[in-house]
Amino acid sequence: MIVNKLKLFLIFCLIYPTLFFSADRPKNIIIMIGDGMGLNYVSASVLSDRNSPFIKFNSIGLLKTPSSNKLITDSAAGATAISTGYKVPNKAISNDTADKNYETIFAIAKKEGMSTGIVVTSSVTHATPAAFYANSKSRSEHDNIALQLTYADLNVAIGGGYKYFANSKKHGSRTDDKDLFESMKASGYEIALDYNSLVKIKSGKVLGLLGEDGLNPASKREYSLADLTKIGLKKLSSNPNGFILMVEGSQIDWAGHNNDTDYLLSEMKDFSEAVDLVLEFAKTDGKTLLVVTADHETGGMTITGGEKDGSNLSLSFATTGHTPELVGIFSFGPSQEKFSGIFENHIVGRKLIKLINPDFVFTGDE
Ligand SMILES: [Zn+2]
């Protein structure tokens, strides 16, 4: 009798933690990055829009963004911290530049049978998306990064960057004259070069390259980042093993570099609408963790005036480059509480990877 009770107790001890942690772990993870979206960008959204999605999060934190060699990071090192759990030098894509590649969260998710995807408004080979599926010493190696996309086996890749996949015959800019569209078709991709064709894709993996390089700014596009994200979510959510999706409001950063108020506010609105859409998806689904953050702040932007209701905001800028200001992290869904507090950006990557594979081992400081 005592032996049986002991056995039951031992079985309980073994099973209970598994039950506890698996209930806590999300099935799907969606990472949304507002490139350059400092805290004052979020302030502008909240002040000017009473339905701003940022007020709907209860789990909020702050991140320190320095890279491994600079106080002020670039997007390559900033994205790598989140996509690999390691800080690297500026310009490096999931690589420490001493020939050591870091495994990306997408590669780790693939091993668990999950689907992967990116939806961005820059080229799909730009620093932030590249860090999720490629390894390179330099973010400027677009040809090489595009080639890596052909075998990274993403289920969804939507953004710009046509010229990095096309050879000279197809008016591309590849220096090796390879036609990457052919190899991607052979690997089961349906390819769309405009929004109307993208909407019509029914089966297969999706490569949507809707611009030569970056997409048009939000104010000059007939579709929104939310529209593109909706297509990505529909495609990815059919996998019973779950998915990981990275959505980037890429041009928030470009508006910051240009110190352009109208451009900045319209890109923030475009990104906010996409956040709202994903938040609704996560609420309905109940098994999706959404993490919204930024890689760094751009422009040293501050709000110097505006109407009482938050309309007609006046923005001023301290620089045309990036700054080391802390950025916000907003999370919703299973394990959201892991992302509140103040920590280094690479810790976000480690926490996300551990949610996908709890046995994954990192080297170096926590
Ligand atoms: Zn930038």
Side-chain angles (χ1 to χ4, degrees):
M1 188 67 178
I2 289 173
V3 174
N4 276 344
K5 275 190 178 168
L6 192 64
K7 264 189 194 164
L8 277 173
F9 177 69
L10 283 173
I11 289 167
F12 178 77
C13 287
L14 282 171
I15 289 173
Y16 180 73
T18 318
L19 287 176
F20 183 78
F21 286 120
S22 61
D24 204 28
R25 277 172 57 200
K27 175 184 172 196
N28 312 310
I29 294 178
I30 303 174
I31 303 164
M32 299 189 75
I33 298 178
D35 199 307
M37 187 183 71
L39 288 171
N40 279 338
Y41 290 58
V42 176
S43 304
S45 168
V46 171
L47 289 171
S48 64
D49 177 6
R50 66 175 60 198
N51 295 315
S52 170
F54 293 100
I55 61 174
K56 300 173 187 169
F57 292 86
N58 294 322
S59 180
I60 298 170
L62 293 170
L63 298 184
K64 294 194 256 181
T65 66
S67 66
S68 71
N69 68 337
K70 300 272 185 193
L71 175 67
I72 299 179
T73 189
D74 76 330
S75 294
T80 296
I82 296 167
S83 69
T84 68
Y86 288 97
K87 283 187 187 276
V88 296
N90 283 11
K91 313 278 184 226
I93 302 286
S94 300
N95 174 286
D96 72 354
T97 68
D99 259 350
K100 179 166 173 46
N101 288 335
Y102 291 115
E103 194 169 20
T104 69
I105 192 166
F106 276 19
I108 294 161
K110 276 276 161 198
K111 285 183 184 165
E112 303 298 317
M114 296 168 77
S115 291
T116 57
I118 52 166
V119 177
V120 301
T121 57
S122 61
S123 160
V124 295
T125 59
H126 210 260
T128 306
F132 284 81
Y133 65 82
N135 305 96
S136 174
K137 282 183 185 175
S138 170
R139 58 183 289 171
S140 59
E141 292 178 351
H142 286 274
D143 278 10
N144 176 267
I145 291 166
L147 186 64
Q148 292 190 49
L149 183 70
T150 66
Y151 50 80
D153 199 29
L154 269 61
N155 301 77
V156 171
I158 300 173
Y162 172 86
K163 66 179 185 177
Y164 304 115
F165 292 76
N167 59 19
S168 54
K169 267 184 239 148
K170 289 187 176 171
H171 310 291
S173 65
R174 286 197 67 80
T175 51
D176 60 7
D177 228 27
K178 281 186 174 143
D179 179 352
L180 301 190
F181 294 113
E182 288 309 314
S183 48
M184 293 199 80
K185 267 185 207 159
S187 328
Y189 281 89
E190 292 290 325
I191 296 165
L193 302 180
D194 59 65
Y195 181 68
N196 289 335
S197 326
L198 181 68
V199 175
K200 288 180 192 140
I201 293 180
K202 291 274 185 291
S203 60
K205 292 180 280 188
V206 177
L207 177 67
L209 298 180
L210 314 182
E212 184 84 350
D213 200 334
L215 301 185
N216 285 334
S219 60
K220 293 182 180 132
R221 258 190 268 126
E222 64 275 22
Y223 52 85
S224 65
L225 179 60
D227 292 331
L228 301 180
T229 304
K230 201 174 187 175
I231 294 169
L233 283 174
K234 197 172 169 201
K235 185 84 209 161
L236 293 167
S237 53
S238 61
N239 185 342
N241 294 325
F243 67 85
I244 176 162
L245 168 66
M246 194 285 290
V247 178
E248 185 194 32
S250 320
Q251 299 189 30
I252 296 168
D253 175 64
W254 304 354
H257 283 291
N258 290 355
N259 291 182
D260 184 329
T261 297
D262 291 343
Y263 188 14
L264 189 154
L265 293 175
S266 83
E267 291 302 319
M268 275 303 294
K269 187 166 177 288
D270 189 48
F271 183 66
S272 300
E273 285 168 8
V275 172
D276 227 4
L277 173 97
V278 174
L279 197 51
E280 283 308 311
F281 173 90
K283 276 184 187 166
T284 309
D285 177 67
K287 292 175 231 150
T288 298
L289 170 67
L290 166 62
V291 173
V292 185
T293 189
D295 46 358
H296 54 75
E297 196 274 347
T298 304
M301 188 272 271
T302 189
I303 304 165
T304 51
E307 304 298 328
K308 174 141 190 327
D309 65 359
S311 59
N312 294 325
L313 292 179
S314 312
L315 311 183
S316 77
F317 297 85
T319 171
T320 54
H322 299 169
T323 75
E325 287 178 13
L326 304 194
V327 296
I329 178 163
F330 305 81
S331 48
F332 176 85
S335 291
Q336 63 174 30
E337 67 288 347
K338 288 188 163 63
F339 300 89
S340 64
I342 302 185
F343 36 91
E344 295 283 351
N345 56 358
H346 72 293
I347 299 301
V348 174
R350 293 187 178 205
K351 287 171 189 275
L352 290 170
I353 288 169
K354 287 274 192 187
L355 287 174
I356 291 172
N357 177 2
D359 299 325
F360 196 88
V361 177
F362 291 95
T363 55
D365 297 338
E366 277 298 318

